[in-house]
Amino acid sequence: MSNDTVGCQPEQQNISLTIFLCLVYMVGLLLNGFSLWVFIFRMSKWNAGTVLQFNLAISDALASPATPLIAAYFINGNNWTFGPFLCQMKIALLSAHFYGSILFLTLISIHRYVVVVHFKRSSAIKRKAFVKKLCYVVWCFLMVGAVVYAYVLGVTDEDGHTQCLSIHQSKLVKMYFVINFVLFVAGFLLPFTVTVVCYACLARSVTQISDKSMQGHLIKMKSLRMIGLCLVIFAICFFPMNVTRTVAVILKKFYPTECALLLLVEKVYYSSYVLAGINCCLDPLIYFFGSHGFNKAFRNSVKRARGQQERDNRTESDTTSCSVNRNAVYTIS
């Protein structure tokens, strides 16, 4: 294999890719950090939906520690200089981040469908205690997968380049091929299908809700926003990344000498990777539009911040006024 792939050397990515990568994940970190703060410190009552959204925010925040390493990797000409442990940590964090986000988005879609369409029926996913246990199982599944991927996919030396999580790792071609199709089918295709089915049924149901009552209008608008936003996240963020990575591993396994095509697909994949990071910025909109409790806590936090700022300005103004008056008295005397 290595003789066939001579000449397929990694190319340094455009600096704009690194800039966009850092910008996207920095904004995502700020938004999800604020969301977690609202969940923990501003929301006293949680329901099953809140638990799912909180776990989604945690999975979104996992990518942030790996972002500086990825940026340095790109700047250094796709040459990994941080050692095997940090490479494995990067792989584990990214795996838990991307597929945690997909799984929790899928659970949110199932929960939303059950709550709206079958609101009169008793269901386990409506109960907070059950959802907590379900999230625990999901995290155990994600952690086991992350550890396995980090263990079998490590640092390799490829013709003078140290590679980490790269399509150019010729020694790991078979492993990448198997892992990719496991992730593509079980980690993306199956959850995406469940999400589409849930939201299709939900959309059909909410279109029959009357707009005459305020409550009916609010339920309809909230559900339609959730449907549109989740499907946009899947279509823009996760679909391109999973498809281009699948194309890349197929090319590497069956057409290893097509270097120009492989490098082109690699560029598209890294671009889709930046798009995938946008989900960190879009997911907080789910909390805002899909959770009345989060929306209320967010608005109250903003009002408190404004009120504190006004009080600080008023105090500063009063202090300045007193100082001016005191100086005036001293001048007269």
Side-chain angles (χ1 to χ4, degrees), residues 23-296:
L23 182 62
V24 165
Y25 280 100
M26 182 179 68
V27 173
L29 176 62
L30 294 174
L31 291 175
N32 284 285
F34 177 74
S35 299
L36 289 171
W37 177 79
V38 172
F39 279 124
I40 296 172
F41 297 107
R42 288 291 180 262
M43 293 184 65
S44 57
K45 295 182 179 180
W46 286 28
N47 55 29
T50 308
V51 173
L52 291 173
Q53 292 166 6
F54 176 74
N55 281 273
L56 176 61
I58 293 177
S59 67
D60 285 342
L62 287 178
S64 300
T67 303
L69 298 175
I70 300 171
Y73 180 57
F74 288 158
I75 293 174
N76 201 33
N78 286 29
N79 190 40
W80 185 263
T81 59
F82 303 108
F85 174 75
L86 288 180
C87 174
Q88 292 173 327
M89 187 187 75
K90 182 189 84 167
I91 294 171
L93 288 173
L94 293 180
S95 171
H97 158 63
F98 283 122
Y99 294 97
S101 297
I102 290 174
L103 290 177
F104 285 117
L105 280 171
T106 303
L107 290 176
I108 287 172
S109 70
I110 296 173
H111 176 266
R112 189 68 187 169
Y113 165 75
V114 173
V115 167
V116 175
V117 179
H118 301 291
F119 61 94
K120 292 184 178 180
R121 297 182 185 177
S122 176
S123 176
I125 202 167
K126 294 180 182 180
R127 298 195 295 268
K128 184 171 67 172
F130 172 80
V131 171
K132 284 183 177 181
K133 295 177 182 178
L134 181 61
C135 290
Y136 176 77
V137 172
V138 171
W139 279 115
C140 288
F141 174 75
L142 290 171
M143 291 301 105
V144 170
V147 170
V148 170
Y149 302 146
Y151 178 76
V152 298
L153 301 176
V155 172
T156 60
D157 293 324
E158 309 286 337
D159 297 323
H161 285 77
T162 303
Q163 299 291 294
C164 171
L165 199 63
S166 170
I167 192 61
H168 298 286
Q169 293 178 278
S170 301
K171 302 173 185 177
L172 300 175
V173 170
K174 292 182 180 179
M175 192 62 66
Y176 272 118
F177 188 81
V178 173
I179 289 177
N180 172 77
F181 276 93
V182 170
L183 291 176
F184 182 75
V185 176
F188 170 73
L189 196 58
L190 183 59
F192 177 64
T193 302
V194 172
T195 300
V196 170
V197 171
C198 285
Y199 280 137
C201 295
L202 178 60
R204 184 177 61 183
S205 178
V206 298
T207 52
Q208 299 173 2
I209 297 176
S210 174
D211 286 337
K212 294 181 180 180
S213 66
M214 179 61 68
Q215 184 179 5
H217 177 74
L218 291 175
I219 293 175
K220 187 173 184 178
M221 292 305 298
K222 182 190 291 186
S223 297
L224 291 176
R225 285 172 181 170
M226 288 278 290
I227 292 169
L229 187 56
C230 283
L231 293 181
V232 164
I233 290 173
F234 268 97
I236 294 179
C237 301
F238 299 126
F239 181 79
M241 182 187 71
N242 282 275
V243 170
T244 53
R245 190 187 59 219
T246 302
V247 172
V249 297
I250 292 174
L251 283 174
K252 185 66 177 179
K253 183 172 177 60
F254 297 107
Y255 305 97
T257 58
E258 298 291 337
C259 295
L261 183 58
L262 185 63
L263 291 173
L264 176 61
V265 173
E266 183 185 27
K267 289 181 180 180
V268 175
Y269 171 73
Y270 284 136
S271 299
S272 68
Y273 178 87
V274 176
L275 285 176
I278 295 177
N279 87 94
C280 297
C281 305
L282 295 178
D283 285 345
L285 296 177
I286 293 178
Y287 320 144
F288 187 80
F289 291 127
S291 172
H292 174 72
F294 183 90
N295 193 320
K296 183 178 178 181

